[in-house]
Amino acid sequence: MTGPEAITGPEAEAASTPRSVRARVRAELTAEIVAAAGEELAEVGPAALSLRSVARRLGMVPSALYRYFPSRDSLLTALITEAYEAVGAVAEQAAGSADGSLDRWLALCRAVRTWGRAHPQQWALIYGSPVPGYAAPQTTVAAALRVTLAVAGVLRDAPGARPPQGVAPDEPGLEPVVAPIRDALLPGRDAPTVAATVLAWTSLTGMVSLELFGHYEGGTTEFEPLFAYCMALSGRAAGLD
Amino acid sequence: MTGPEAITGPEAEAASTPRSVRARVRAELTAEIVAAAGEELAEVGPAALSLRSVARRLGMVPSALYRYFPSRDSLLTALITEAYEAVGAVAEQAAGSADGSLDRWLALCRAVRTWGRAHPQQWALIYGSPVPGYAAPQTTVAAALRVTLAVAGVLRDAPGARPPQGVAPDEPGLEPVVAPIRDALLPGRDAPTVAATVLAWTSLTGMVSLELFGHYEGGTTEFEPLFAYCMALSGRAAGLD
DNA sequence: CCTTGTCGTGAACATCGTTCTCGATTAATG
DNA sequence: CATTAATCGAGAACGATGTTCACGACAAGG
């Protein structure tokens, strides 16, 4: 439940400079395990990820893994944070390599979709249904925040904060729901803009999930133009230009 | 892979009038199994759904279930179609019990979300990540079409077919992607409207999934106003009024 | 040097999906 | 009605899974 730190003892290896030799080889092996688990994940998917096959891949005996991860769930946690960091990184990079808020948004969307198509199992791991008895620990929500922040970053320095078009009559009770999101991500925006931003982010993950999970069976034609058009639509609704 | 029909033999019980006594008790027991599996699903979720515990719940021995379902996957298939039918039914009913295309859309959205919150495991089963080695058979895609048709029905008799506001410059290559969707669901609409409809449907599933899968950690405040506002936004963008 | 803690091994347990054989019971046939 | 054929449930078995435990081998620190 708490990740590998729970069994490393008091040494608290701060990931930068493991003091003893023991601690360093331990850190290396831990990384190797995560890497092997990542390969296994990419092949068989999250639900079928078997601790024993990860051990086989490393030439270890299954019980040896328990010196590094207290359970299969904690190994999954490591993979989850890794996946969040990966998609967050490509989102940040894409958002930084374009000019104009709408183009930055579109670049981010394309990058996220490309990453998802390249790593469908990791996508399923973080945006699919949660694994059975798994409760997301704090470390994963922190990693998940990274990609959310990348999205918010694009929206934050939009030029106009132009209120979304087609605005519905003010929904009563919108304000209290929107307040925590605005404070965390989009200070100063009005409630409709924040809502439109949430909708844009939701559309992005929803569209990629629908495609990856096989809910779009409209043939083999290239999906990209529809995706780009829809993301442009949602971006404009959120005030991008 | 093919469902229970694969082992019932040539009698082809047409679900209406099982001829022999044997066939009737068989149909009843099959229904009981699906019901017990549904309860189990609601408690432990799709990935942890155990064929043995379903058998225990019924006081049977595990191997006995194989007289009715050739594998655990086929049992999952039955649950999947059942879930699709259920959410399709509530969507149809909600869409029929309101006037005005936007209000019908909002009623449908609220009904779908309510159903999802009441049956999160079934939601995960159909809109979450697909189970490991599972390939959706034809029967499930037919059932999935039902809710899609309900959505399209609302959009179809929208008054204006008013082109979505904030329309982006015509994306090249939009037309061929949109064509099969238009032919199947929204004959006569222009490409931007069809795209906005896809976006609206995506936003609905995406928003419910995000909420159910715990990706919205903005506190315990009531999510409903934000949901309703966002769905109104996406509905208007698709030309509803 | 010797103690202490870490690590890999191997056996074990409970659970899972699935297959098989074996009586028992029911439906169809002469 | 008697006999044959089909269906069904029970139970044992196989390989696989996650997890726990006791046991040695080894390095670190006093």
Side-chain angles (χ1 to χ4, degrees):
Chain A
M1 296 293 174
T2 57
E5 303 81 2
I7 48 176
T8 53
E11 25 203 345
E13 36 179 297
S16 53
T17 319
R19 48 202 69 176
S20 98
V21 182
R22 225 25 182 292
R24 192 171 56 226
V25 308
R26 178 182 180 84
E28 286 174 8
L29 225 177
T30 305
E32 275 185 53
I33 293 173
V34 175
E39 298 173 16
E40 186 76 12
L41 169 69
E43 294 178 10
V44 303
L49 197 158
S50 141
L51 205 117
R52 290 181 111 105
S53 55
V54 174
R56 275 193 293 270
R57 195 182 284 261
L58 293 167
M60 303 173 77
V61 79
S63 58
L65 290 186
Y66 283 81
R67 300 286 182 193
Y68 300 86
F69 294 91
S71 73
R72 175 176 169 274
D73 278 0
S74 69
L75 185 53
L76 271 182
T77 300
L79 292 176
I80 288 175
T81 62
E82 199 182 50
Y84 273 128
E85 298 286 348
V87 65
V90 303
E92 288 171 6
Q93 179 183 347
S97 65
D99 290 333
S101 64
L102 184 60
D103 285 342
R104 292 177 65 183
W105 165 245
L106 287 178
L108 186 150
C109 290
R110 274 189 245 261
V112 167
R113 173 171 177 263
T114 300
W115 185 89
R117 285 160 57 92
H119 309 92
Q121 308 287 18
Q122 301 191 45
W123 180 275
L125 187 62
I126 56 181
Y127 292 115
S129 35
V131 289
Y134 182 79
Q138 299 299 340
T139 78
T140 68
V141 312
L145 202 63
R146 177 169 176 181
V147 45
T148 308
L149 284 174
V151 172
V154 173
L155 278 297
R156 182 156 29 209
D157 37 77
R162 167 166 52 104
Q165 301 133 323
V167 57
D170 262 351
E171 192 78 19
L174 223 200
E175 186 58 35
V177 199
V178 148
I181 305 174
R182 166 172 43 213
D183 293 347
L185 302 173
L186 296 165
R189 306 300 196 196
D190 57 348
T193 299
V194 176
T197 303
V198 172
L199 183 60
W201 165 241
T202 302
S203 304
L204 171 56
T205 63
M207 206 137 193
V208 175
S209 289
L210 238 66
E211 182 185 4
L212 289 183
F213 297 165
H215 286 267
Y216 175 74
E217 303 293 344
T220 56
T221 56
E222 189 49 56
F223 191 62
E224 212 274 338
L226 179 56
F227 173 78
Y229 187 86
C230 288
M231 290 305 102
L233 231 54
S234 67
R236 280 174 184 267
L240 298 184
D241 209 345
Chain B
M1 296 294 175
T2 57
E5 304 82 359
I7 47 175
T8 54
E11 25 202 346
E13 36 180 295
S16 52
T17 320
R19 45 201 68 174
S20 96
V21 182
R22 216 113 143 230
R24 191 170 57 225
V25 309
R26 178 183 179 84
E28 286 175 6
L29 225 176
T30 305
E32 274 186 55
I33 293 173
V34 175
E39 298 173 15
E40 187 75 12
L41 170 68
E43 293 179 11
V44 303
L49 197 157
S50 142
L51 205 120
R52 292 181 109 106
S53 55
V54 173
R56 273 193 295 267
R57 197 182 284 261
L58 292 166
M60 304 174 76
V61 80
S63 59
L65 290 187
Y66 283 80
R67 301 285 182 194
Y68 300 86
F69 294 91
S71 72
R72 175 176 170 274
D73 278 0
S74 69
L75 184 53
L76 271 182
T77 300
L79 293 176
I80 288 175
T81 61
E82 197 182 51
Y84 273 127
E85 298 286 348
V87 65
V90 303
E92 287 170 7
Q93 179 183 347
S97 65
D99 291 335
S101 63
L102 185 59
D103 284 343
R104 292 177 65 185
W105 165 246
L106 287 178
L108 186 151
C109 290
R110 275 189 245 260
V112 168
R113 172 171 178 263
T114 300
W115 185 89
R117 285 160 56 92
H119 309 92
Q121 307 285 19
Q122 301 191 44
W123 180 275
L125 188 62
I126 56 182
Y127 292 115
S129 32
V131 290
Y134 181 79
Q138 299 299 341
T139 77
T140 67
V141 311
L145 203 63
R146 177 168 175 183
V147 47
T148 307
L149 283 175
V151 172
V154 173
L155 277 297
R156 182 157 30 211
D157 37 77
R162 164 167 54 104
Q165 303 133 323
V167 57
D170 262 350
E171 193 78 20
L174 223 197
E175 187 58 35
V177 199
V178 149
I181 306 174
R182 166 173 43 215
D183 293 347
L185 302 173
L186 295 165
R189 305 303 194 192
D190 57 348
T193 299
V194 176
T197 303
V198 172
L199 184 60
W201 165 241
T202 302
S203 303
L204 171 55
T205 63
M207 206 137 192
V208 175
S209 289
L210 238 65
E211 181 184 4
L212 289 182
F213 297 165
H215 286 268
Y216 177 74
E217 302 293 346
T220 54
T221 57
E222 190 47 58
F223 192 62
E224 212 274 336
L226 179 56
F227 172 77
Y229 187 86
C230 287
M231 290 304 102
L233 231 53
S234 67
R236 279 173 184 267
L240 300 183
D241 211 344

